[in-house]
Every structure is written in structure tokens, then in C-alpha cells.
Amino acid sequence: MGNCIDVSEHNGSVNWYTVKDSGIDYALIRCGFGQDIESQDDKRYLENIQEALNAGVKVGVYFYSYAKNGEMASGEAEHCLRLIEPYRNQLSLPVFYDLEEDRCKANVYDIYTTFEAKLKEAGYNVGCYASQYWYDTVLKPVGIDFCWVAKWGGNMPDWGIDIWQYTSTGSCSGIGGNVDLDEVVNPNMTALIPIPETNEVNITVKVEAPDNVKVNINVERG
């Protein structure tokens, strides 16, 4: 378990050292939204991720979707990858795709799976952020590896979620105004897909010898 916040440009300037000192272990930072144009990068993404890392906060990222179909989701995946690649080895959580716009509902399966496939091809674990209602209804046909669920008030959902967003009106030292508060339920998540171990070893041997000389090379397993 770990204390977590999620932030975007809408939270304004964040004092990340104060956030860390207040007991926050993780931060999910919005990197952008929509298609791959700079005006749709989150204006405080670079500031937030770098300063959070400097303060010793474990970071993850999320990307807000406006996609209506798989083609638009593919563009969003490209946008997300451009922003997160410089930090791929510094992320502690999967990349979360934020689905909450009504325009996403009709083609949600194609939207999510297209985004997920592109991110996985690049080596990232992928999860989904959505409300409890969306998980119960809209997202039922979609297989999701990591679930970040917004359920404000009451008890944590009991069906094996990975992150619980339990309020949108919380407070955190170092941030002015309301802030989303979360609990990382599954601390074993990783940003990158583990590379399978292999026992195969490739060895290249270059031997220079006259044409009339036979060369034998024997390899023994040890």
C-alpha cells in the first residue's frame, strides 16, 4: 500500500519536497491529452515529473483520452510515447489511459486496445483510469491488466483493483486547493514489461586462416 496523489496543470505549482514530507509515496502525473501536438501536452508535465523525481516521489503517468475510434487512440498513443520515453527508466507505475468522455463509449474496446497495443509494443505496462460506474458498465467487454478506479467515499472496491482514487476534494501540503487522493493497493506494479530470461547465448567467432587450412571449432556447455 502507498499514499498517492494525481495531478495535472490544473493543480498549479506544486512544492514536491513538501508533498514528499507530508507522507506521499507516489504521484500519477498527467502528461497530455488528445492528438500529438504540443498545445495538448500538459503544461506542467515536465515540471511536475522532474521535480517529483528530484524530491524522491515515485512517479507514474496518465493520459487523458478524447478518442472517438481506434485511429484517434493510435494518435493518442504516439502523443503519450513522445512525452514518456525520456523517463521510461524512472517510472514506477504502469501508464494509465484515462477514459471518461462520453465520446469514447461507442468504440471503447477499439480505443483501449489500440492504445494499449502501441504502448505494450514499446515495452510499457498499461492500465485504465475510470469511474466505478464505467468499470461496471462501459468497460465490461475490455480486458484490463491494471485498474485505477475512482470511487469517492465509502469503502474501497473489493474486486482486486490496483489503485483506488477515494476523493477529488482532498488536501495535500505543497498543493493549493483540492487534490485527488489515491491509494496504491498493488505495490508490485511496474512501468515496464519484464523481459523474459533466456539461456541462449550468441557468440560470433572470426577466424582468419589460409584457404587450404581446415578450422574446427568445438563448443561445450558448462
Side-chain angles (χ1 to χ4, degrees), residues 24 65-66 95 186 193 195 211 221:
I24 296 299
S65 178
Y66 286 103
V95 178
N186 176 11
I193 298 170
I195 299 173
D211 291 340
R221 293 180 178 270

Side-chain angles (χ1 to χ4, degrees), residues 1 6 19 44 54 82 85 114 128 145 154-155 188 194 199 210:
M1 298 263 186
D6 60 271
V19 167
R44 290 192 179 270
N54 290 344
R82 171 172 64 81
E85 274 291 278
T114 298
C128 184
D145 294 338
N155 298 321
N188 297 317
N199 293 322

Side-chain angles (χ1 to χ4, degrees), residues 178-204:
N178 291 334
V179 62
D180 297 337
L181 299 180
D182 311 86
E183 185 173 311
V184 174
V185 182
N186 176 11
N188 297 317
M189 293 180 288
T190 60
L192 301 179
I193 298 170
I195 299 173
E197 292 185 6
T198 177
N199 293 322
E200 182 178 341
V201 178
N202 295 317
I203 301 174
T204 300

Side-chain angles (χ1 to χ4, degrees), residues 65-139:
S65 178
Y66 286 103
K68 295 180 181 179
N69 51 48
E71 182 179 358
M72 293 180 72
S74 179
E76 293 186 339
E78 291 172 5
H79 187 185
C80 183
L81 285 169
R82 171 172 64 81
L83 292 167
I84 67 176
E85 274 291 278
Y87 297 96
R88 69 177 292 127
N89 293 317
Q90 296 172 278
L91 302 177
S92 298
L93 297 170
V95 178
F96 284 92
Y97 198 27
D98 184 344
L99 295 176
E100 49 189 288
E101 293 286 325
D102 285 344
R103 72 182 72 190
C104 301
K105 289 181 177 179
N107 294 306
V108 71
Y109 182 86
D110 287 342
I111 289 168
Y112 185 80
T113 56
T114 298
F115 183 91
E116 178 188 49
K118 279 211 162 189
L119 270 288
K120 282 188 170 182
E121 184 179 6
Y124 293 94
N125 280 315
V126 183
C128 184
Y129 168 86
S131 67
Q132 176 78 65
Y133 172 78
W134 270 59
Y135 270 104
D136 288 343
T137 56
V138 180
L139 292 169

Side-chain angles (χ1 to χ4, degrees), residues 17-95:
Y17 287 93
T18 302
V19 167
K20 174 64 175 176
D21 289 343
S22 73
I24 296 299
D25 306 299
Y26 296 88
L28 283 152
I29 298 168
R30 189 179 75 162
C31 60
F33 55 92
Q35 299 304 299
D36 190 9
I37 52 178
E38 288 189 9
S39 63
Q40 296 189 143
D41 298 354
D42 187 288
K43 293 178 178 60
R44 290 192 179 270
Y45 165 63
L46 294 177
E47 171 190 328
N48 278 331
I49 193 168
Q50 192 59 61
E51 293 188 9
L53 287 167
N54 290 344
V57 177
K58 297 175 183 178
V59 299
V61 296
Y62 71 96
F63 188 93
Y64 192 96
S65 178
Y66 286 103
K68 295 180 181 179
N69 51 48
E71 182 179 358
M72 293 180 72
S74 179
E76 293 186 339
E78 291 172 5
H79 187 185
C80 183
L81 285 169
R82 171 172 64 81
L83 292 167
I84 67 176
E85 274 291 278
Y87 297 96
R88 69 177 292 127
N89 293 317
Q90 296 172 278
L91 302 177
S92 298
L93 297 170
V95 178

